[in-house]
Amino acid sequence: MERKHSSFPLPIPLSAVEGVIWPAPAGGMQAVTLAALHELEHSQHLAPEALRARQFLQAGHLVAHAARSMPFWAARFRDAGFDPQAPIDATAWARLPILTRREVQDAGAAMHCAKLPAQHGGVTTDSTSGSTGTPLTVKRSALSLFYWNVFALREATWHDIDLAGKLVAIRPDWTRPADHKGAWIKRHANWGAPIATHFPTGPAVVLDVRHSTIADHAAFIQAEAPGHLIGYGSSLEALARHCLAHGIRVPSIRSVYSQGDVLTPGGRAACREAWGVEVVDNYSAVEVGHIATQCPVHPENLHVQAESAIVELLREDGAPCAPGEVGRVVVTPLHNFAMPLIRYAIGDLAEAGGPCACGRTLPTITRVHGRERRDLLRLPDGSGVVPYYGSQALARFPEIIQHQVIQRSLTRLEFRVVARAPLDARAESELRELIAATTGHPFDVDIVYVDAIDRSSSGKFVEFRCAIDT
Ligand SMILES: [Zn+2]
């Protein structure tokens, strides 16, 4: 296939050699990361069948490891009549049952594997409640975090971000001392890992999204005049609408990244109107890494990160979705041997796209349902804040299967929970303390036990909902 000149050249990496900057002789792990990044420049143009064959080749190694090291997977393969040593093709793959989030939660430590090849590095523990309010404990190898960084760098290079500019991020900053009152702002000499460990960058400033209102965020970006702005989809939309409503202009902004939850089309339009830029969005999750990244040429398409994971969109009958159809998202991250997730239904629904005119052959998703904007949490003074109420920490309550928070008044929250057993008095009070500490206000919290939490009529799970008339 004829290749055009790249419109999105890689920035010049950091050099490991004094006096030489270009072409940069990178050193150590940086060189390894850049080599992988260059490999992705090639693989994004592979013919679909070649891409698929390489995915199955890598999946074969993951499957063999899981069968060898983990009784959970050995039994599952046996029950499905699946030979973990045989070469994988589409027919064999389709024989593997779908793994639900609830199954992963129920299996607990049986999903974790400590016996990794030595080169996969150490294992770290994280947790997530995902987009369905179902907490999971996640184990990740150093190797899977390496790939996380490679795909983060691919995203930055695809979108031709001006790395020399000033980055402003509005997100949770966990270095904030628990007793700190008021806004928490931290300044950094560069953009931080993984970007600044591979490329020269400008400075960065982070505002902790917690304990600060949307009006605070607007004043902050006006004062800081960022070139590059990063925020969560929900807070970016609220911020853009606030700027538009109050005539606030921030002409320095050249690029905006959305993280965490996927922007709605309305949120995207608000950002475009407020700042005159197309927001860059991606679809990723703690337990599976990068799933899809926005196309730099056709922003309506998210390109599946096929070298990171096998991503399937499946109809109710288990058949693959055709372009335009909405199905459940089933992901197999290819490199995390510390917690193999094979045909894992992450809990989202997404719409399949067709081939993208940009020339990249990576499959496309046009819309993700289930990770969209949440309501703002209203504080007693009437101001709106992004609803952080400690959902990331819920995995430490083993009784909780799924949860949802509904704000009933300016002082009262309803914590709806599907539980294996009711929380005891100590756990209930710990939960209330967690919510007060993370929202910054001692809300009255009603803990309400329910049998199930359904998706709304639009098919979307709502983790937080504000039910106060405003
Ligand atoms: Zn494209």
Side-chain angles (χ1 to χ4, degrees):
M1 190 178 91
E2 190 190 341
R3 292 276 303 279
K4 292 184 187 145
H5 298 293
S6 175
S7 321
F8 302 97
L10 288 178
I12 300 174
L14 288 169
S15 165
V17 177
E18 190 181 340
V20 177
I21 59 158
W22 185 80
M29 274 310 289
Q30 281 73 20
V32 182
T33 310
L34 291 169
L37 190 60
H38 280 280
E39 205 170 327
L40 299 185
E41 285 289 294
H42 170 70
S43 57
Q44 66 186 354
H45 295 284
L46 282 174
E49 45 294 356
L51 199 58
R52 195 84 180 137
R54 290 185 188 192
Q55 287 184 309
F56 283 146
L57 211 55
Q58 176 55 36
H61 286 273
L62 175 75
V63 160
H65 158 77
R68 203 167 45 235
S69 318
M70 301 174 69
F72 174 92
W73 283 109
R76 198 169 172 94
F77 295 145
R78 195 172 52 241
D79 294 348
F82 177 88
D83 177 0
Q85 306 305 328
I88 296 175
D89 60 18
T91 311
W93 189 251
R95 203 176 299 135
L96 284 170
I98 304 299
L99 178 71
T100 65
R101 194 176 180 92
R102 178 69 193 276
E103 283 180 292
V104 176
Q105 198 188 41
D106 285 346
M111 299 300 304
H112 305 155
C113 181
K115 282 188 290 183
L116 309 188
Q119 289 163 312
H120 289 224
V123 173
T124 48
T125 304
D126 213 327
S127 60
T128 171
S129 73
S131 61
T132 55
T134 308
L136 291 183
T137 298
V138 178
K139 298 282 183 183
R140 295 192 286 185
S141 69
L143 182 81
S144 76
L145 295 172
F146 161 81
Y147 277 108
W148 181 286
N149 289 342
V150 170
F151 286 91
L153 290 172
R154 173 194 248 180
E155 182 178 49
T157 57
W158 269 12
H159 291 280
D160 196 21
I161 302 299
D162 177 16
L163 301 179
K166 182 186 201 178
L167 176 150
V168 163
I170 302 174
R171 62 182 173 213
D173 184 346
W174 306 108
T175 65
R176 175 199 193 98
D179 57 354
H180 181 84
K181 300 273 182 260
W184 174 256
I185 295 169
K186 262 186 123 170
R187 295 183 185 278
H188 304 271
N190 60 50
W191 291 20
I195 305 286
T197 41
H198 296 82
F199 301 104
T201 75
V205 194
V206 179
L207 169 67
D208 189 1
V209 67
R210 300 167 301 156
H211 309 258
S212 55
T213 67
I214 299 300
D216 296 335
H217 302 175
F220 179 67
I221 61 170
Q222 259 191 308
E224 294 293 338
H228 184 54
L229 174 66
I230 297 180
Y232 281 21
S234 47
S235 59
L236 282 176
E237 176 170 355
L239 180 56
R241 292 192 190 287
H242 182 94
C243 288
L244 289 170
H246 295 84
I248 296 170
R249 295 191 65 252
V250 190
S252 61
I253 293 178
R254 286 195 53 209
S255 53
V256 179
Y257 263 35
S258 164
Q259 294 181 335
D261 41 10
V262 171
L263 264 187
T264 60
R268 179 176 287 283
C271 294
R272 197 186 296 125
E273 193 182 339
W275 302 310
V277 296
E278 198 61 55
V279 179
V280 177
D281 202 358
N282 75 27
Y283 177 26
S284 62
V286 170
E287 71 272 35
V288 295
H290 289 254
I291 302 171
T293 295
Q294 184 172 311
C295 176
V297 185
H298 298 282
E300 66 279 15
N301 287 336
L302 292 166
H303 277 291
V304 168
Q305 300 297 286
E307 307 92 334
S308 172
I310 296 177
V311 179
E312 302 170 84
L313 303 186
L314 301 179
R315 294 179 192 158
E316 296 251 328
D317 66 2
C321 291
E325 286 182 338
V326 174
R328 66 173 169 165
V329 182
V330 173
V331 187
T332 304
L334 292 168
H335 306 108
N336 186 17
F337 285 30
M339 187 174 177
L341 293 171
I342 299 165
R343 301 201 89 200
Y344 162 63
I346 190 167
D348 298 327
L349 299 171
E351 184 178 320
C356 184
C358 75
R360 290 175 181 80
T361 48
L362 302 171
T364 61
I365 291 173
T366 47
R367 181 90 187 264
V368 181
H369 303 263
R371 295 192 170 239
E372 293 174 353
R373 185 180 71 85
R374 297 170 293 189
D375 293 344
L376 293 178
L377 174 73
R378 315 303 303 190
L379 295 180
D381 67 4
S383 60
V385 299
V386 178
Y388 282 100
Y389 53 83
S391 59
Q392 295 85 348
L394 292 179
R396 74 173 190 243
F397 298 92
E399 301 89 349
I400 298 177
I401 293 171
Q402 192 183 16
H403 82 288
Q404 180 182 48
V405 175
I406 298 177
Q407 182 165 23
R408 294 293 182 193
S409 76
L410 288 176
T411 57
R412 184 168 291 277
L413 301 178
E414 184 176 304
F415 187 91
R416 292 158 61 82
V417 57
V418 181
R420 291 183 176 81
L423 280 70
D424 62 23
R426 193 181 53 79
E428 285 201 356
S429 105
E430 200 185 322
L431 180 64
R432 289 192 171 90
E433 279 169 30
L434 174 70
I435 292 171
T438 43
T439 57
H441 180 78
F443 282 100
D444 295 325
V445 179
D446 297 324
I447 299 174
V448 177
Y449 294 93
V450 295
D451 292 334
I453 299 172
D454 294 326
R455 288 175 180 271
S456 68
S457 53
S458 65
K460 167 169 110 176
F461 176 82
V462 182
E463 180 187 307
F464 173 83
R465 185 158 62 82
C466 178
I468 312 176
D469 291 331
T470 51

